[in-house]
Amino acid sequence: MIALIAAQKAGLLAPKNWLSNIVAGAIVGVVALPLGMAFAIASGVKPEQGIYTAIVAGFIVAVCGGSRVQIAGPTGAFIVILSGITAQYGVAGLQVATMMAGAILLLMGLAKLGGVIKFIPAPVIVGFTAGIGVIIWVGQWGAFFGLPAVQGEHFHQKFWLTVQALPHLHWATTGLAVLSLIVLIVAPKWRWTQKIPGPLLAMVLATGLQSQFHFAGVATIGSAFGGIPQGLPEFSLPQVSTGQLINLIGPAFTIAMLGAIESLLSAVVADGMTGTRHDSNQELVGQGLANLVTPLFGGFAATGAIARTATNIRNGGNSPLAGIVHGITLLVIILFLAPLAASIPLAALAAILFVVAWNMSEVKHFRHMLTHAPRADVAILLITFVLTVFADLVVAVNIGVILATLHFLRRMSMSVEVVTHNEQQIGVELIQQGLIQLPAGVLVYSIEGPFFFGAVENFERALAATHTDPKVLVIRLLRVPFIDITGLQALDEAIAQLQRRGVQVLLCEANVRVLAKLERAGVMVTLGATYYCADLASAIARADVLSTE
């Protein structure tokens, strides 16, 4: 259900809730100001575009999303992807890719695929978020230390060139950056500054010092971007060629998948803090609409922001009104206070991104998983992390998911057993037929577990282990929850081979879905209509007759 309607039905839009949500929205808007500018600059666009993104996306997701308290806007997870798109295709290409990603997210939500995102394994998510954190951290060294720009196609090249440039750091820039970083770390621990957002405090302090002392050589928003325009963003359609449109399909899918993962993770965190339940499909619809519309007003990719959503909840936000006020707060700031942004040092924004990178990396969680997770999961974690840093986020996620899937399939195939039953195990069924033991030449096998392509080898190995062919083979399917086409083909071929060797095969106890698949795949034709029994007792009775013929 749309967040605004759900909040209305829950009574959260009543006047008694207005004050707490207005206060929470205003605080989150202030927090989002430096973050939006920092994420925009790191993504290769102008700082005001980060604010535009927070305003438009924040409003749309608050109204149309699937969580009552979600705060949307630009986030650190996108930086690596967006900066690469901007460098290759320009700002217009980034905006078109964002709109394409919005369409993908919208379709995913309408197709009810919100739950599928939850199946991405934790080692993959932790690995690539930690890798993104490392890339952001190293990528901000230039702005933090006032270093000259370095050129390099790959991370290791940029890293080494940046290390070589460190002796040429700019002392005033580094001083402002270190001071900002200290404020960001210490301010939340001081009683008298706990209620002031750390990023805002650091930015204001660094801006005040730069405005007062005019340190030579310190890069600011004014010197790098000419300041921030004072006024509303203009509506415009991004221009891109057909060739670029085709090339942007891959980046658009990456933005969509990353946006879906982060927004739903944020919604889950919000549920844990508030005791509510979000609608994952509606959340994807809201995120899709936001990314479709935001580029039309100068913005770029947005998603649910975990830190800002948590800040909203901690300050009393419990309805979409807080998200709307968050956007209005940013709008008021850009309308009336934009000229003050010219003196903001880029070093202060780099310090903010240092903290963002640290939080994204989840070092404690990463270390815990590294030391306590099963070895296969540790390998997936490290491979995803290394590939994210040194290769590419898309490659890392794809390979991580593939490895996790293959590992899961291996474990699933190992859990599937083909068991031979003796008289003690099926004694009840024998008594029902007036038998003390199985008739001579009759074997009863049971397939236990999903009969999919990974389990076929176990089945074939069990059949081969009989050595001497029985007269009748009864195969129980009671504990087969599902069967895929490979399993159906293997079963069909096994039945045909056994029949050619003179072994009569009986199947029994398949559930409704498995039985329907057996019929649709033609297995029942190979078997013969009279060779399927509804229960084991009937199968034993039929096997008794066949064994004496």
Side-chain angles (χ1 to χ4, degrees):
M1 185 182 295
I2 294 177
L4 197 64
I5 298 175
Q8 173 66 37
K9 290 187 176 181
L12 297 175
L13 299 183
K16 65 179 181 180
N17 292 311
W18 287 1
L19 181 60
S20 61
N21 282 281
I22 290 172
V23 171
I27 292 172
V28 176
V30 171
V31 171
L33 178 66
L35 292 175
M37 292 189 290
F39 293 145
I41 293 170
S43 299
V45 298
K46 296 179 179 179
E48 64 267 22
Q49 291 181 270
I51 302 175
Y52 298 158
T53 302
I55 293 171
V56 180
F59 181 85
I60 293 175
V61 170
V63 174
C64 301
S67 171
R68 301 171 189 171
V69 292
Q70 182 83 283
I71 301 294
T75 64
F78 278 144
I79 288 175
V80 177
I81 293 296
L82 303 188
S83 59
I85 297 173
T86 306
Q88 187 171 358
Y89 301 103
V91 176
L94 171 61
Q95 292 176 322
V96 171
T98 298
M99 295 180 71
M100 293 168 66
I104 294 169
L105 286 167
L106 182 60
L107 291 174
M108 288 173 64
L110 295 175
K112 309 294 184 185
L113 296 179
V116 176
I117 304 298
K118 299 174 185 176
F119 294 115
I120 296 179
V124 177
I125 294 176
V126 174
F128 80 70
T129 52
I132 291 171
V134 171
I135 294 172
I136 293 172
W137 176 57
V138 173
Q140 291 302 306
W141 286 8
F144 191 92
F145 297 107
L147 304 176
V150 297
Q151 299 296 325
E153 184 177 353
H154 301 290
F155 172 82
H156 67 278
Q157 295 170 332
K158 294 177 183 178
F159 174 76
W160 181 241
L161 290 172
T162 304
V163 169
Q164 289 179 315
L166 282 175
H168 307 290
L169 61 83
H170 187 266
W171 288 105
T173 299
T174 304
L176 287 174
V178 171
L179 178 63
S180 300
L181 187 59
I182 291 172
V183 171
L184 286 163
I185 295 171
V186 176
K189 302 175 183 179
W190 288 348
R191 186 180 60 185
W192 53 88
T193 58
Q194 280 182 343
K195 295 190 177 296
I196 304 175
L200 178 68
L201 189 60
M203 185 184 72
V204 170
L205 179 60
T207 303
L209 289 173
Q210 178 61 24
S211 300
Q212 181 66 31
F213 297 103
H214 302 286
F215 299 111
V218 173
T220 64
I221 286 180
S223 64
F225 301 98
I228 291 180
Q230 187 175 10
L232 296 172
E234 295 182 359
F235 177 89
S236 64
L237 288 170
Q239 301 296 319
V240 68
S241 66
T242 305
Q244 284 183 321
L245 200 64
I246 296 172
N247 292 333
L248 287 169
I249 293 176
F253 267 101
T254 304
I255 294 172
M257 292 305 299
L258 195 55
I261 293 169
E262 187 165 10
S263 63
L264 294 180
L265 281 176
S266 178
V268 169
V269 171
D271 287 347
M273 296 178 70
T274 61
T276 58
R277 289 189 63 185
H278 73 281
D279 183 333
S280 57
N281 295 313
Q282 184 60 45
E283 182 63 24
L284 292 183
V285 170
Q287 297 290 343
L289 291 172
N291 283 283
L292 273 171
V293 175
T294 299
L296 300 176
F297 295 92
F300 55 95
T303 186
I306 297 175
R308 274 160 276 172
T309 299
T311 301
N312 176 36
I313 296 169
R314 290 193 194 103
N315 286 279
N318 63 0
S319 79
L321 179 60
I324 295 170
V325 172
H326 143 266
I328 294 173
T329 301
L330 289 169
L331 188 61
V332 170
I333 291 172
I334 204 169
L335 285 175
F336 299 101
L337 303 177
L340 300 178
S343 298
I344 297 174
L346 300 186
L349 299 181
I352 292 171
L353 288 178
F354 268 28
V355 175
V356 169
W358 172 264
N359 292 334
M360 280 189 63
S361 298
E362 294 186 283
V363 176
K364 290 183 179 179
H365 190 190
F366 189 96
R367 187 189 302 122
H368 179 80
M369 190 172 287
L370 203 60
T371 54
H372 292 82
R375 284 179 294 179
D377 290 323
V378 171
I380 293 169
L381 171 70
L382 292 175
I383 289 171
T384 305
F385 173 76
V386 170
L387 288 176
T388 299
V389 175
F390 293 101
D392 179 76
L393 175 62
V394 181
V395 173
V397 173
N398 286 341
I399 291 180
V401 170
I402 290 171
L403 289 176
T405 303
L406 291 175
H407 175 60
F408 171 76
L409 292 174
R410 175 176 171 274
R411 295 295 299 272
M412 282 288 291
S413 66
M414 291 171 63
S415 69
V416 179
E417 295 182 309
V418 181
V419 179
T420 306
H421 287 306
N422 55 37
E423 281 81 359
Q424 287 76 25
Q425 292 169 314
I426 57 173
V428 174
E429 287 81 2
L430 290 173
I431 292 171
Q432 288 177 0
Q433 301 303 319
L435 299 172
I436 300 175
Q437 60 183 11
L438 281 170
V442 176
L443 285 178
V444 177
Y445 277 5
S446 176
I447 301 175
E448 301 190 352
F451 194 17
F452 69 114
F453 60 90
V456 168
E457 185 180 353
N458 290 358
F459 176 67
E460 293 174 343
R461 190 185 303 118
L463 291 181
T466 57
H467 302 298
T468 302
D469 285 343
K471 290 182 180 179
V472 182
L473 178 63
V474 178
I475 301 177
R476 300 183 70 185
L477 302 176
L478 177 65
R479 294 187 175 88
V480 177
F482 69 85
I483 185 169
D484 71 356
I485 186 59
T486 309
L488 289 166
Q489 290 175 350
L491 185 59
D492 190 61
E493 291 171 5
I495 292 170
Q497 288 178 7
L498 289 166
Q499 288 172 341
R500 284 194 293 269
R501 298 206 306 259
V503 179
Q504 301 188 73
V505 181
L506 294 172
L507 298 182
C508 65
E509 300 179 296
N511 65 42
V512 176
R513 290 195 304 171
V514 170
L515 184 59
K517 290 181 180 180
L518 291 172
E519 292 173 344
R520 190 161 55 247
V523 176
M524 301 302 285
V525 175
T526 304
L527 182 70
T530 61
Y531 288 79
Y532 177 79
C533 301
D535 54 67
L536 179 59
S538 301
I540 291 174
R542 176 73 171 138
D544 188 23
V545 173
L546 292 173
S547 66
T548 57
E549 291 181 352

